[in-house]
Amino acid sequence: MEPGIRHSHFNKKLFGDNFAWGVSTAAFQVEGAHDAHGKGESIWDVFTGKKDKILDGHHAQIACDFYNQYENDIDLIKQLNIPNFRFSISWTRILPNGTGATNQEGIAYYNRVIDYCLQKGIEPWVTLYHWDLPHELELKGGWTNRDIVDWFTAYVKICAEHFGDRVKYWMIMNEPAVFTGAGYFLGIHAPGRTGLKSFLPAIHHTVLSIAAGANALRAILPSAQIGTTFSCSFIEPYSGKARDINAAKRVDAIINRLFIEPVLGLGYPIDDAPILKNIKKYFLPGDEEQLSFDFDFIGIQNYTREIVKYSVFTPYISASLVKAENRKVPLTQMKWEVYPPAIYQMIKKFNAYPGIKKLLITENGAAFPDVVADGKINDVLRIEYLETHLAQVLKAKSDGYKADGYFVWTLTDNFEWAEGYHPRFGLIYVDFDTQQRIVKSSGHWYARFLKG
Ligand code: BGC
């Protein structure tokens, strides 16, 4: 199937009865209420307060006000016929300082959200860490401090104990490659650290924490479905020249393989990613055996493909991305190429790993500059994006690959990290001055599709 070709005659039934359909969000991007009811500061609260970090100085103190409007937003999920809702828990609502005393009001809030989902017949899927590390822990080194394995595990246990009687589906972390890469190497996300001395220990402690957190969850909730999620982009070399092919291999190792491979017991892809060559410095005896966990499912999150070129100027990896803007290809508002076969390629790639029991697409979606006209948002490009990507998921399933679910990113327009409120990814439009919601045409399209 060619990119962009629509499959208008396909329907939900073709994906089978056990396919999980959903929508995903993340606490920091939607909740707001940044200091309500005992919540502590996260690294994103601090980072958004710094100058020149976020486009136009946007912050997320109010965001979509999901903290106060969750009933309304869950009603909208219901109205859109979406059976599964993936959201994350904010660590600092539960433990304002990251460790120590729990905040009962934070626990009560997530109890209300979970109970309301269940009351509406919506299955809650909980992500335990979607990037909002407690600031107090960052002051002690954050992900670069090995103690974080214990801090994180203690937090996971509290969540399991309080919510595990009702939450069946858990994801330990969201996209470790993005929060370590952007936050501890490039410095463009919180906490804004740079360099290998931050990046390498952050990677290793994150992998140890994924496994330790999952083990803790399993011990408390033996019948829970436990997963974790990874970002991935289809990587292709700019040319058939060996140096471009090798550059693409290095980038693929960092972007797509860095976390899934140790988690599956295959170790870090050091041979293909020389940037990792000193990671063993951060190992303690026995660590090799502490990196993996037998997950019930793996979530992959794909948005685009990247074209990679050899570059003598790029330190550590001697490779650079050829910007989609310069490639004369269709773009989203993030300037990411719209390339539906990427999701097929990623499903295929992850299927090649032994040991993945179930594979779900836990995020896919697109930002476009939506306009309100006569109170409506006719976002045809987003509908086309979702349909063409779903067609590729279906193609992968028909070709015999595992693909067990699909979650749209995202429910409402929200705070898109360093890009602030500019990119609009939602199925539902948000007027950030009034907090008014308007279901976009894509939301109506998803609702019809899910109705069958
Ligand atoms: C993240 C989301 C983000 C989305 C779009 C993923 O990297 O999990 O938090 O908003 O992609 O950039």
Side-chain angles (χ1 to χ4, degrees):
M1 196 181 308
E2 292 310 312
I5 288 190
R6 299 234 323 237
H7 238 221
S8 47
H9 45 276
F10 75 173
N11 61 57
K12 187 183 142 191
K13 276 210 187 90
L14 299 170
F15 291 80
D17 291 340
N18 296 324
F19 194 85
W21 294 98
V23 68
S24 294
T25 66
F28 191 78
Q29 294 180 271
V30 299
E31 284 179 357
H34 67 114
D35 59 358
H37 304 141
K39 177 182 169 291
E41 263 189 331
S42 79
I43 53 173
W44 273 96
D45 291 309
V46 173
F47 194 69
T48 47
K50 289 187 180 161
K51 217 173 159 273
D52 297 334
K53 298 292 183 197
I54 312 296
L55 195 56
D56 287 338
H58 290 174
H59 59 73
Q61 295 185 352
I62 301 170
C64 310
D65 196 30
F66 181 84
Y67 186 81
N68 295 303
Q69 314 232 3
Y70 70 90
E71 289 194 356
N72 179 46
D73 286 351
I74 294 168
D75 287 345
L76 286 166
I77 298 176
K78 179 81 195 165
Q79 199 182 307
L80 298 189
N81 304 316
I82 305 174
N84 298 292
F85 176 33
R86 171 177 174 241
F87 59 91
S88 78
I89 293 184
S90 151
W91 189 339
T92 57
R93 280 196 204 284
I94 306 291
L95 292 159
N97 297 318
T99 56
T102 51
N103 174 29
Q104 292 310 317
E105 286 180 287
I107 290 171
Y109 161 67
Y110 289 109
N111 275 330
R112 291 196 297 276
V113 171
I114 293 163
D115 289 344
Y116 198 71
C117 285
L118 295 172
Q119 190 187 320
K120 294 285 156 178
I122 293 163
E123 191 73 50
W125 292 57
V126 167
T127 307
L128 287 159
Y129 184 75
H130 201 126
W131 308 354
D132 42 357
L133 182 73
H135 176 60
E136 283 297 317
L137 300 184
E138 177 57 26
L139 293 177
K140 297 176 186 159
W143 290 104
T144 69
N145 183 339
R146 194 178 169 106
D147 289 346
I148 197 152
V149 182
D150 295 334
W151 301 330
F152 181 68
T153 308
Y155 157 68
V156 170
K157 281 185 186 160
I158 293 171
C159 293
E161 276 154 8
H162 285 90
F163 311 127
D165 56 335
R166 285 150 297 148
V167 175
K168 287 192 228 141
Y169 298 91
W170 297 84
M171 283 143 287
I172 306 297
M173 288 201 196
N174 181 69
E175 301 193 348
V178 176
F179 78 77
T180 56
Y184 285 82
F185 186 60
L186 301 172
I188 54 173
H189 276 189
R193 297 223 223 167
T194 52
L196 277 189
K197 283 209 172 99
S198 298
F199 189 40
L200 295 181
I203 293 168
H204 188 52
H205 301 147
T206 296
V207 176
L208 289 169
S209 299
I210 293 175
N215 276 311
L217 203 58
R218 179 75 87 222
I220 298 170
L221 304 172
S223 55
Q225 287 289 305
I226 304 176
T228 197
T229 77
F230 301 103
S231 48
C232 55
S233 293
F234 180 40
I235 305 295
E236 290 197 295
Y238 177 71
S239 79
K241 287 190 192 132
R243 59 188 204 166
D244 287 336
I245 294 173
N246 291 333
K249 214 179 198 180
R250 290 192 293 278
V251 171
D252 181 60
I254 294 296
I255 292 196
N256 294 325
R257 300 170 49 200
L258 176 54
F259 286 91
I260 182 71
E261 296 197 358
V263 161
L264 292 174
L266 304 169
Y268 294 108
I270 298 174
D271 291 346
D272 291 324
I275 188 175
L276 300 174
K277 78 171 186 289
N278 288 327
I279 198 164
K280 292 255 163 96
K281 270 208 329 222
Y282 302 94
F283 274 53
L284 290 186
D287 275 9
E288 257 95 2
E289 289 75 58
Q290 306 295 322
L291 299 176
S292 62
F293 182 79
D294 187 19
F295 279 103
D296 299 308
F297 69 93
I298 292 295
I300 59 170
Q301 318 198 145
N302 171 258
Y303 291 87
T304 191
R305 82 163 157 178
E306 299 291 354
I307 304 293
V308 175
K309 213 177 177 172
Y310 172 76
S311 155
V312 71
F313 302 110
T314 319
Y316 306 118
I317 75 167
S318 309
S320 64
L321 304 181
V322 183
K323 285 189 182 160
E325 288 161 272
N326 302 333
R327 292 194 264 121
K328 298 200 177 74
V329 291
L331 300 180
T332 70
Q333 208 179 358
M334 298 292 281
K335 302 200 171 90
W336 296 342
E337 180 187 4
V338 178
Y339 188 72
I343 202 166
Y344 177 92
Q345 293 297 338
M346 292 299 96
I347 294 170
K348 184 175 163 188
K349 185 178 181 75
F350 279 75
N351 266 264
Y353 287 118
I356 294 184
K357 294 177 185 152
K358 283 190 173 177
L359 188 71
L360 282 82
I361 289 91
T362 37
E363 284 183 24
N364 173 245
F368 290 108
D370 299 314
V371 275
V372 187
D374 295 330
K376 292 190 177 122
I377 297 99
N378 191 17
D379 55 337
V380 285
L381 291 177
R382 184 172 292 101
I383 296 176
E384 186 174 321
Y385 181 99
L386 296 172
E387 278 191 340
T388 51
H389 283 74
L390 272 176
Q392 294 285 334
V393 176
L394 186 58
K395 180 176 184 269
K397 269 186 91 70
S398 326
D399 289 350
Y401 296 119
K402 259 173 249 166
D404 303 293
Y406 179 89
F407 287 61
V408 174
W409 183 266
T410 181
L411 182 65
T412 55
D413 296 335
N414 64 28
F415 178 77
E416 177 54 32
W417 309 111
E419 311 301 320
Y421 295 97
H422 296 286
R424 291 185 173 270
F425 271 95
L427 296 170
I428 298 169
Y429 183 89
V430 176
D431 177 330
F432 290 101
D433 294 325
T434 62
Q435 290 297 341
Q436 193 203 350
R437 274 78 164 137
I438 306 172
V439 178
K440 301 178 191 175
S441 296
S442 59
H444 293 299
W445 165 84
Y446 199 38
R448 276 195 306 277
F449 178 84
L450 292 176
K451 204 167 171 194

